[in-house]
Amino acid sequence: MTQQTWTPEGRRPVVLAGGSQFVQDQVARACAAAGVAPHFAVDLARALPLEPAVLLLGADQAAGGLPGHRDVIVVGAADDETRAWAAAANLASSRVVILPQGAGWLAEHLGRRLNPAASGTVVGFLGAAGGAGVSTFAFWCARHAAGRGTSTLLVDGHPLGGGLDLALGIEERPGVRWGDLRDLRGTLNAEQLVAALPSDGRLAVLSHAAHSEGSGPHPGHGMESAGAVLDAARGAFDLSVVDLGSAGSAGIQSLVPLCDQLVLLVPSRPRSAVAVTRILEAYSPLPTTVVLRGPVLDGLDAWLVADLAGRAGPLPYLPFVRGSSAAEAGGRALDFPLPRRARKLVESVVAGLEKAG
């Protein structure tokens, strides 16, 4: 099989590296159902230069990590399922499809992934350092998008963060949390996801629980299901905002590759400003909006940090907002009114995300 398709940007949308003849046949059928023509590479070394939008790996090719690749799926046959899961364990951002059982899911995923008009946008919010206020800013943007009629999901990406719903004051509302999705395998229905989540108007929230989620230790806290959850979110919401925390947060490597865009919040501090370049390089495949977080120190204004980040002109600037921390501590974040300058910045960022998405 040698069908080849190039996207307008010059990339082959779907590339399978390795895999048996049976796996190749099943992938070809799934791609046909999704309306895309796959390209088949003998191995990973030949697949990566093709810059696929979606990289499918035969179990024999998934021996090492793939830093920076945005959509990686390990595919295997039913009689080789154990090896496929073992191979996927070596990849920080992988999902597994067992064929032929998973062919329908694969076709549906490819259809959504390669037809942006038919799917929502996933945006990760990331801090250049701890204490940047990423959770707060992510929530403000999600609340604003929902308030103007966009169906929006706010995703808590902090497995050890104590639960984002606690800051919003909705920790007692019924609905699923990450821990309830811990054992999820395969697909998640978009409509079921919407119905299961706690919400406030058009804003739904997927949080880690503020209270204990069972008696035993669960290091992943449900995050191993992130691929399936965000796939369902694309079909259920126009916009999904993922609170990733700081660049060194636990679990970030499994979530960043699932995002379409990033928003990087940079505190006006020397170490944060210097770290910008490295962070942008680490996640260079993703379009990234850089925002400077106040208060601004002398010599670290929006112009200087923009220069360090390799951006033209001053960075968008989020001023220090008095009272926001107290509102979160009291579980009153949902009702906290933004001052005009911060509100204008949030409106601008959200408009840019929606335009890019």
Side-chain angles (χ1 to χ4, degrees), residues 58-225:
D60 56 314
Q61 300 294 317
L66 289 170
H69 206 284
R70 295 172 55 189
D71 201 341
V72 180
I73 302 173
V74 177
V75 291
D79 59 0
D80 202 20
E81 182 171 354
T82 300
R83 187 166 68 133
W85 282 104
N90 293 319
L91 301 174
S93 60
S94 66
R95 279 162 281 187
V96 174
V97 175
I98 302 302
L99 302 169
Q101 298 95 318
W105 176 88
L106 181 58
E108 186 176 333
H109 172 77
L110 294 176
R112 289 197 305 266
R113 179 68 179 82
L114 300 172
N115 181 11
S119 62
T121 301
V122 177
V123 181
F125 280 64
L126 179 66
V134 174
S135 297
T136 302
F137 189 49
F139 163 66
W140 287 344
C141 289
R143 181 179 65 175
H144 173 72
R148 61 195 302 270
T150 300
S151 60
T152 306
L153 171 64
L154 177 62
V155 180
D156 182 356
H158 294 266
L160 306 178
L164 184 61
D165 56 1
L166 191 63
L168 305 182
I170 61 172
E171 70 275 11
E172 300 297 336
R173 293 191 189 182
V176 302
R177 270 66 177 178
W178 274 114
D180 301 310
L181 304 172
R182 182 182 301 120
D183 298 322
L184 176 66
R185 294 293 182 270
T187 61
L188 176 62
N189 182 273
E191 288 74 20
Q192 290 177 336
L193 178 64
V194 173
L197 292 170
S199 62
D200 186 82
R202 295 183 69 83
L203 175 62
V205 179
L206 175 57
S207 176
H208 291 281
H211 307 296
S212 175
E213 294 178 324
S215 58
H218 300 286
H221 294 267
M223 301 300 289
E224 57 272 16
S225 62

